[in-house]
Amino acid sequence: MMFGRSSLLAKTATRSIFSNVASRRLASTKSLKETLQEVIPAKQEQLKKLKAEHSQAVVGEVKVENILGGMRGLKAMLWEASVLDPNEGIRFHGLTIPDCQKVLPPAPGGKEMTAESMFWLLLTGQVPSPEQSRQLSAELAEKGDLPPFVEKLIDSLPKTLHPMTQLGMGVAALNHDSVFQAAYERGIKKSEYWTYTLEDCLNLTAKLPALAARIYRNVYHPERSLPALDKNLDLVGNYSNMLGFGANEHLTEYLRLYIALHGDHEGGNASAHTAHLVGSTLSDPYISYSAALFALAGPLHGLANQEVLRWQMAMQKEIGDNITHDNIKEYLWKTLKSGQVVPGYGHGVLRNPDPRFIALQEFCKSRPELQSSPIIQLVQQTAEVAPDVLKEHGKTKNPYPNVDATSGCVLHHYGLTEFKYYTVIFGVSRALGALTQLVWARALGLPLERPKSYSMDALEKLIKN
């Protein structure tokens, strides 16, 4: 009964959202900063009202299992860009992934929404016009070149250093040119923090493709020269081109979808939360996001898609061309009985199939070259078999595929085969959400994050009392 009511409310909200899309597009000539200047006062007033009228309202409870279990599920963080519902999945300012695919502008000549249009939505809550999206693309392309000292730094690193370590180092080094840090040191009003933070966030977003592509070139293809930024391309178009895949339109379109879908997934995940936590100290966006990247580099967070690909390829090697549901089921049980998890299945919040996985599968179904790919076929068939096996196994709360179950396999099919690099692409993506919310943290004047910790002895004493 409750689920039906929830679905009805969701449908009503979606209709309301679409009725407002036309009005959201009216100010199609306004810049990103101008749009944000109009949006911020209403949000500031909303926050003020929440504090004044509801600061003592109870929104949940803290159990010992929350404290011992990584704070999972605690309602303890403000994050404006997206909300993750366990059953429905992610919504970006109320829009589902299919909604975003319908209304967010694609790149000229493309079909998939751009990183710029998702950035605009996450930051302003509004759907940009095609003109606004292209204007932002042009601005980012102008800002996209790396300073020579960062190029020199990245070029000096050993090829054997993990690409994510290099990415984090490069982002941290860009703090040399932070406009927020410079403004803070000379003295500015708190009400102005967000404007300098926005400038840093745009500069960093613009430079990530050149930085990430340089790392890829140095580690895997040092014989190649790096093409210059093309001021006529969108952010991902330039990224794909600098990676050496500019002529591969299929991969470029896939990267646009991948980066938009990975841009934000609520604020409680390790990388987003790290950016927010470090940002709450008033560290500039470069330092804050470099910390987030090192969180993303962990095996329990951003490395999952490469683990899926390794596992799927090992399955493919073992069962050969005779792919049947029975063979897949047998391999799944072999994995579980060996004490390993099945990578690409389950999620810390979701309790239904990940809408991002569904979107990537729809992309695969629309591409004949992917439908004929053995590894993609194996992914699809595994998704048909694995949930029942995992339910029978009984040790997972969510037996359904998440976005990692297919994301790396498509990259591999299109020729980007270097597993260790996949998390770097994730790092380019996650900046969309983490950086836009740093702007909002400064605009809303959010405080230093400081939760209370307990020792086990103190916790036992608290329980007894």
Side-chain angles (χ1 to χ4, degrees):
M1 188 74 176
M2 286 297 292
F3 183 76
R5 176 175 171 77
S6 176
S7 299
L8 178 61
L9 289 172
K11 290 176 182 176
T12 303
T14 299
R15 285 196 295 270
S16 176
I17 289 161
F18 275 106
S19 69
N20 289 328
V21 165
S23 63
R24 287 177 177 183
R25 289 188 183 276
L26 288 178
S28 62
T29 59
K30 290 181 180 175
S31 70
L32 181 63
K33 187 174 182 179
E34 289 170 339
T35 304
L36 196 55
Q37 284 173 322
E38 291 185 349
V39 173
I40 284 175
K43 285 289 185 181
Q44 290 173 329
E45 187 61 32
Q46 184 182 8
L47 180 66
K48 183 179 178 181
K49 187 174 180 181
L50 275 170
K51 285 182 177 179
E53 300 179 8
H54 304 291
S55 62
Q56 299 305 306
V58 177
V59 296
E61 59 181 357
V62 180
K63 297 179 181 178
V64 172
E65 68 177 2
N66 300 126
I67 298 172
L68 302 182
M71 300 189 291
R72 191 155 296 203
L74 287 183
K75 301 178 182 72
M77 185 178 178
L78 187 65
W79 192 264
E80 286 295 294
S82 63
V83 175
L84 182 59
D85 181 85
N87 296 308
E88 188 182 67
I90 194 72
R91 279 180 178 264
F92 308 104
H93 286 287
L95 294 176
T96 65
I97 287 171
D99 295 339
C100 290
Q101 290 177 298
K102 290 176 184 175
V103 300
L104 290 182
K111 295 181 179 179
E112 302 298 337
M113 54 187 163
T114 62
E116 290 89 337
S117 60
M118 179 58 79
F119 187 96
W120 191 294
L121 173 65
L122 294 176
L123 184 59
T124 69
Q126 298 184 9
V127 174
S129 67
E131 293 78 16
Q132 287 173 318
S133 183
R134 285 196 287 272
Q135 181 186 25
L136 182 55
S137 293
E139 180 180 353
L140 295 178
E142 285 291 336
K143 298 172 180 286
D145 288 315
L146 293 176
F149 78 91
V150 173
E151 293 182 344
K152 186 176 180 180
L153 169 67
I154 296 302
D155 292 348
S156 73
L157 298 175
K159 290 172 57 178
T160 50
L161 187 63
H162 196 288
M164 279 299 288
T165 309
Q166 297 190 41
L167 183 65
M169 291 174 67
V171 169
L174 286 166
N175 132 282
H176 177 274
D177 298 329
S178 170
V179 294
F180 175 82
Q181 184 186 65
Y184 186 83
E185 287 178 357
R186 71 172 180 265
I188 53 172
K189 298 176 181 177
K190 287 185 177 180
S191 61
E192 298 175 344
Y193 283 0
W194 74 266
T195 62
Y196 297 98
T197 301
L198 173 63
E199 191 171 347
D200 272 353
C201 290
L202 287 171
N203 286 336
L204 175 51
T205 301
K207 289 173 172 53
L208 279 172
L211 176 59
R214 194 172 199 90
I215 293 166
Y216 179 77
R217 190 280 306 268
N218 288 356
V219 174
Y220 302 109
H221 301 285
E223 75 285 353
R224 292 182 184 173
S225 59
L226 279 167
L229 279 161
D230 186 335
K231 303 299 170 62
N232 296 313
L233 291 177
D234 64 303
L235 191 81
V236 177
N238 263 312
Y239 184 29
S240 180
N241 192 46
M242 288 186 288
L243 287 172
F245 294 95
N248 189 335
E249 294 180 8
H250 297 307
L251 177 60
T252 302
E253 277 286 88
Y254 177 70
L255 284 173
R256 288 189 179 111
L257 178 61
Y258 176 104
I259 286 174
L261 294 183
H262 285 76
D264 196 52
H265 212 234
E266 215 178 50
N269 65 76
S271 53
H273 187 197
T274 300
H276 175 81
L277 171 62
V278 178
S280 78
T281 71
L282 294 188
S283 288
D284 64 67
Y286 300 102
I287 293 176
S288 301
Y289 195 60
S290 68
L293 288 168
F294 292 127
L296 189 65
L300 294 182
H301 192 12
L303 297 190
N305 60 4
Q306 67 189 52
E307 297 303 320
V308 172
L309 181 56
R310 284 196 183 97
W311 180 78
Q312 290 277 194
M313 293 180 76
M315 184 201 297
Q316 187 181 41
K317 184 177 180 179
E318 180 162 319
I319 68 178
D321 296 329
N322 184 27
I323 301 174
T324 66
H325 281 194
D326 287 340
N327 285 342
I328 293 171
K329 185 175 182 180
E330 183 179 342
Y331 193 84
L332 284 162
W333 277 114
K334 177 183 175 182
T335 299
L336 293 168
K337 288 177 180 178
S338 71
Q340 302 176 60
V341 298
V342 175
Y345 286 78
H347 191 272
V349 177
L350 290 169
R351 295 297 174 260
N352 275 321
D354 189 340
R356 297 172 300 171
F357 171 80
I358 295 170
L360 294 184
Q361 285 296 93
E362 290 299 319
F363 180 91
C364 292
K365 290 176 183 177
S366 71
R367 305 281 176 166
E369 73 278 3
L370 291 176
Q371 280 300 289
S372 62
S373 165
I375 194 69
I376 301 301
Q377 291 175 359
L378 186 58
V379 168
Q380 292 170 342
Q381 292 189 51
T382 302
E384 295 167 3
V385 178
D388 287 339
V389 170
L390 292 170
K391 286 176 187 176
E392 186 179 343
H393 187 244
K395 292 187 178 181
T396 178
K397 293 180 180 179
N398 175 11
Y400 300 106
N402 60 50
V403 68
D404 297 312
T406 192
S407 58
C409 298
V410 180
L411 292 172
H412 190 273
H413 171 84
Y414 281 135
L416 212 166
T417 58
E418 295 84 2
F419 290 18
K420 279 189 175 182
Y421 187 78
Y422 291 176
T423 314
V424 173
I425 303 173
F426 196 169
V428 174
S429 312
R430 186 47 54 90
L432 303 181
L435 295 179
T436 56
Q437 297 316 291
L438 286 176
V439 177
W440 274 107
R442 300 291 75 78
L444 297 174
L446 298 186
L448 175 69
E449 188 173 289
R450 181 40 169 104
K452 178 75 179 103
S453 63
Y454 283 95
S455 67
M456 286 193 285
D457 288 343
L459 198 56
E460 289 175 348
K461 184 178 180 181
L462 188 68
I463 293 166
K464 290 176 183 176
N465 292 338

